[in-house]
Amino acid sequence: MESKQLIRGQVIVVYKERYLVSYEAKKIMAIVSGRFQYTHYLKSEYPQIGDYVTFRMIHDSFAIIEGIQTRQSILERQDVGTVMEKHILAVNMDIVYICMSLNEDFNMTKLRNFLSLTYNQGFKTIILLTKKDLCDNINYYISQVKAATHHDIQVISAHDEDDIAQLKQSLVNQTAVFIGSSGVGKSTLINAMMGEDYFKINTIRMSDAQGRHTTVNRELIELEQGIKLIDTPGIRIVSSYFVSENEFDDIKALSEGCKYRNCSHTDEPGCMVQYALDTGALSDDRWQQYLKAMKRNAFNKQREIERERIMNKRMKTKYKKTRY
């Protein structure tokens, strides 16, 4: 029987046009209302993993979502392909673990790309170095990570019971998201914390240490002691929608020493960025990463202005129709 009373729940799985919502130890399938569709234009405005939503029951196993409550934190990237929209990976998380395995998959460029997704987003970021049981020189990798970021670093093995116990203890009453490339051990870690093979685990290709895709859908899993975990599919292409220049604090520090305040870092005399590139103090890969990020920022900011113009026009048209 349909109810007009609005109920609060949390989205734990997103399908194409349906959402699995958890509330009061129950799970129910839901869709968004026609009113919601009419007033929301962007894909990123629709319910995402971790969203708290208000809904009304249609019957015991089906509901209609009427609204989304304010998101406290967002993990997003630029969508893959030509659409260039925001692709939200999860919302309302307390911690994001960037997982890097201590084998041939370890790559500092990948790490910096993942870090660009997490800068100043309202959650704690931790670098989780996995598969320590397969590494003979852990300190070598730790020193590289410390040179690139101030975030906390944890080293772990999914097969070490003490490591898993410590990880779970740090996550009491917390929501955590695990991101990283395929094969770094995200699903294995979550399986270990759950004490069961909840996610299917595939083998790693020995030729290049790359994992096969294991997790297909994102899902929020609730454990005891208020622990909530979100696993994500392996991310091959990482591009944040907006990147703050503060994420490139090494380049920002260099630019502060330039002779001219409006230095473009191309051919001006006294440019400390160009000097660092010439001497090798700044790698060309890092500089190109910065240039691409700033170019993408300018493009996406212009797109946001255009979207806002379209939405304002749509709302004005809607207002005129309701008046007459």
Side-chain angles (χ1 to χ4, degrees):
M1 181 176 179
E2 183 174 347
S3 171
K4 293 183 179 180
Q5 180 184 1
L6 288 181
I7 305 170
R8 182 178 184 267
Q10 187 172 29
V11 176
I12 60 174
V13 183
V14 174
Y15 302 103
K16 284 187 177 180
E17 295 179 354
R18 297 197 172 205
Y19 308 89
L20 188 62
V21 178
S22 173
Y23 77 104
E24 297 178 353
K26 302 175 185 177
K27 295 178 182 178
I28 188 169
M29 195 65 69
I31 61 173
V32 296
S33 68
R35 182 186 183 89
F36 186 98
Q37 294 179 51
Y38 188 75
T39 56
H40 294 80
Y41 173 66
L42 301 175
K43 182 170 63 175
S44 58
E45 296 174 340
Y46 276 64
Q48 307 291 335
I49 295 287
D51 261 326
Y52 289 100
V53 296
T54 52
F55 62 92
R56 52 187 172 86
M57 300 293 297
I58 300 301
H59 51 72
D60 290 343
S61 59
F62 194 70
I64 302 293
I65 295 172
E66 296 289 356
I68 298 174
Q69 298 190 342
T70 302
R71 294 163 176 166
Q72 301 305 310
S73 58
I74 302 175
L75 178 65
E76 64 187 15
R77 66 167 175 166
Q78 186 163 283
D79 210 348
V80 178
T82 58
V83 179
M84 306 288 278
E85 298 284 1
K86 290 180 182 178
H87 176 204
I88 295 181
L89 299 173
V91 300
N92 295 325
M93 75 293 296
D94 302 296
I95 303 172
V96 170
Y97 286 101
I98 299 176
C99 301
M100 300 282 291
S101 58
L102 296 172
N103 60 11
E104 295 173 19
D105 178 71
F106 185 90
N107 184 292
M108 288 304 299
T109 299
K110 281 185 181 180
L111 176 59
R112 289 192 178 98
N113 286 339
F114 281 116
L115 284 169
S116 72
L117 304 183
T118 66
Y119 185 80
N120 197 27
Q121 294 294 333
F123 49 74
K124 184 176 182 180
T125 301
I126 296 176
I127 314 303
L128 194 63
L129 300 179
T130 65
K131 304 183 182 181
K132 75 174 188 181
D133 50 309
L134 303 179
C135 181
D136 295 325
N137 192 358
I138 294 173
N139 289 333
Y140 167 76
Y141 293 100
I142 292 177
S143 63
Q144 288 197 62
V145 175
K146 284 185 175 179
T149 178
H150 64 278
H151 292 302
D152 292 343
I153 303 169
Q154 289 181 229
V155 184
I156 194 171
S157 167
H159 305 293
D160 188 316
E161 293 183 1
D162 289 338
D163 285 356
I164 297 301
Q166 289 176 20
L167 183 59
K168 289 179 69 173
Q169 185 58 41
S170 67
L171 289 175
V172 172
N173 295 321
Q174 302 283 300
T175 299
V177 179
F178 294 79
I179 62 173
S181 303
S182 295
V184 298
K186 303 186 301 294
S187 298
T188 305
L189 282 171
I190 293 178
N191 280 346
M193 283 190 277
M194 296 180 68
E196 59 178 291
D197 292 335
Y198 186 83
F199 290 108
K200 179 182 177 182
I201 305 299
N202 289 334
T203 56
I204 294 176
R205 296 192 301 265
M206 296 307 294
S207 60
D208 58 4
Q210 294 293 313
R212 302 169 186 170
H213 285 288
T214 301
T215 303
V216 178
N217 293 316
R218 287 164 290 144
E219 180 174 354
L220 185 150
I221 302 161
E222 299 181 66
L223 304 184
E224 68 281 356
Q225 295 184 290
I227 300 173
K228 295 180 180 180
L229 310 175
I230 301 175
D231 191 18
T232 61
I235 302 175
R236 294 183 181 274
I237 301 174
V238 184
S239 297
S240 57
Y241 194 77
F242 285 124
V243 182
S244 168
E245 283 196 76
N246 291 328
E247 178 61 29
F248 295 90
D249 52 1
D250 51 344
I251 295 175
K252 185 178 179 181
L254 287 169
S255 66
E256 289 174 354
C258 292
K259 182 176 180 180
Y260 300 104
R261 292 185 63 182
N262 61 344
C263 184
S264 65
H265 314 310
T266 52
D267 54 5
E268 293 94 339
C271 175
M272 295 306 295
V273 173
Q274 286 299 318
Y275 178 77
L277 285 168
D278 291 340
T279 60
L282 176 65
S283 71
D284 186 64
D285 286 345
R286 178 65 167 166
W287 176 238
Q288 293 302 321
Q289 184 185 35
Y290 170 81
L291 292 178
K292 289 178 181 178
M294 295 304 106
K295 183 178 180 179
R296 190 165 59 245
N297 273 0
F299 178 79
N300 287 335
K301 285 177 182 176
Q302 188 59 42
R303 285 178 62 88
E304 289 294 313
I305 293 171
E306 181 62 18
R307 284 198 191 100
E308 186 175 357
R309 185 190 68 79
I310 292 172
M311 287 303 296
N312 288 338
K313 183 177 180 181
R314 177 179 292 188
M315 294 305 294
K316 287 179 181 179
T317 302
K318 177 185 173 183
Y319 176 70
K320 287 180 180 179
K321 287 181 179 179
T322 57
R323 287 188 63 189
Y324 300 103

